[in-house]
Amino acid sequence: MLTEERHQFIRDRLAADGRVLAGELASRFGVSEDTVRRDLRELAKAGQLRRVYGGAVASAPFAAATISQRGSHAVEEKLRLAKVAVGVLTSGQTLFIDGGTTNEAIARAIPRDIELTVATNSLGVASALADLPLVELIMLGGRYVRDLGTCVGGDTLAAVAQLGADLFFLGSCGLDASRGVTAFDSAEAEVKRAMARNSAGIVIAATNDKLATAAPFRVAAPDAIRHLVVERSAPAAVLADFQRQGAEVHFC
């Protein structure tokens, strides 16, 4: 195979399966693993994949998009995910809900007759919950980053450290069964990690384009996910990997 033919095959395999393994590609192409690793480096440099141990996964979408730009993407899918995601709630729970357009949809879907305590660093989530009479709302302040729609930094981390939650609704940028939950921004990832440490379980609602993808900064291991809410068309093989690590999968 010529170099461009190998690259196209890798792109096609990522589109179909979400990941590739260097050893399998080397056998398929009849070349050395060093050659495959060079191919993966070139594709990663072009932003067409993200390298992980033993191979590569698709790059998580919307690396440079602001929260307002992401708000117009997959609106109907996020609404369906949100309706299912709130089904895991029980009255009296304490929640962390961080930023992201899917989490904002989840906040809007919370029933008015359920009693909750919700701590959030997201202005969008807080706005969605402000009028719910039975929700005790805790704003986690700090440095506000307009493109993220969230507060980050030392003050936010200090506020998170004072709380413990039953569930953490985690907004993921990338979600892979080997790499786990990842984010694009290092400060945002730090807040997410703090919330994950102080929560008894993680809930993630993800559109199909987030599955089997990775962003640069790690947030949580895949076995930390208690509930994974996905579209019914999500790849079965990807979901099986998460289920083997303990996630309960819910379909919208």
Side-chain angles (χ1 to χ4, degrees):
M1 272 189 174
L2 299 174
T3 300
E4 182 50 41
E5 290 177 318
R6 295 196 305 270
H7 288 189
Q8 187 58 53
F9 181 91
I10 292 169
R11 287 191 289 265
D12 291 344
R13 181 60 62 85
L14 285 172
D17 300 336
R19 65 173 65 193
V20 293
L21 297 176
E24 291 181 0
L25 291 175
S27 297
R28 173 69 174 76
F29 298 151
V31 299
S32 69
E33 288 198 28
D34 283 342
T35 297
V36 170
R37 282 191 285 269
R38 185 165 60 248
D39 289 338
L40 297 180
R41 283 197 299 271
E42 291 173 2
L43 290 168
K45 187 176 181 180
Q48 297 176 13
L49 56 77
R50 185 164 298 282
R51 296 182 66 200
V52 297
Y53 181 77
V57 297
S59 294
F62 308 113
T66 65
I67 185 95
S68 59
Q69 291 168 333
R70 286 182 278 128
S72 60
H73 170 71
V75 175
E76 293 301 320
E77 291 87 343
K78 291 172 185 176
L79 291 175
R80 289 195 295 268
L81 290 170
K83 289 178 182 178
V84 174
V86 298
V88 307
L89 297 174
T90 59
S91 186
Q93 287 180 316
T94 297
L95 313 176
F96 282 126
I97 306 179
D98 75 332
T101 54
T102 304
N103 274 357
E104 290 179 10
I106 289 170
R108 290 191 294 272
I110 291 176
R112 296 182 65 85
D113 61 352
I114 187 169
E115 186 175 350
L116 298 168
T117 298
V118 179
T120 184
N121 63 330
S122 163
L123 290 190
V125 169
S127 177
L129 297 174
D131 292 332
L132 293 188
L134 299 182
V135 171
E136 181 179 353
L137 180 60
I138 300 172
M139 278 300 303
L140 304 170
R143 178 174 62 88
Y144 180 67
V145 180
R146 189 167 288 103
D147 286 350
L148 299 175
T150 58
C151 294
V152 299
D155 290 340
T156 312
L157 293 169
V160 171
Q162 302 305 309
L163 297 167
D166 299 294
L167 292 174
F168 171 24
F169 284 78
L170 197 170
S172 64
C173 299
L175 185 60
D176 178 66
S178 59
R179 190 167 172 80
V181 189
T182 50
F184 284 115
D185 184 88
S186 60
E188 186 178 40
E190 190 174 17
V191 173
K192 291 175 185 289
R193 286 193 294 268
M195 289 180 173
R197 285 194 300 270
N198 283 21
S199 302
I202 290 174
V203 183
I204 295 179
T207 49
N208 286 351
D209 56 0
K210 298 287 185 69
L211 299 175
T213 70
F217 300 100
R218 302 188 77 169
V219 173
D223 61 4
I225 301 170
R226 181 186 296 179
H227 299 283
L228 178 59
V229 185
V230 296
E231 300 172 68
R232 194 162 295 279
S233 58
V238 173
L239 300 182
D241 286 341
F242 283 106
Q243 288 173 311
R244 279 192 289 270
Q245 298 182 78
E248 182 179 350
V249 175
H250 309 259
F251 293 99
C252 70

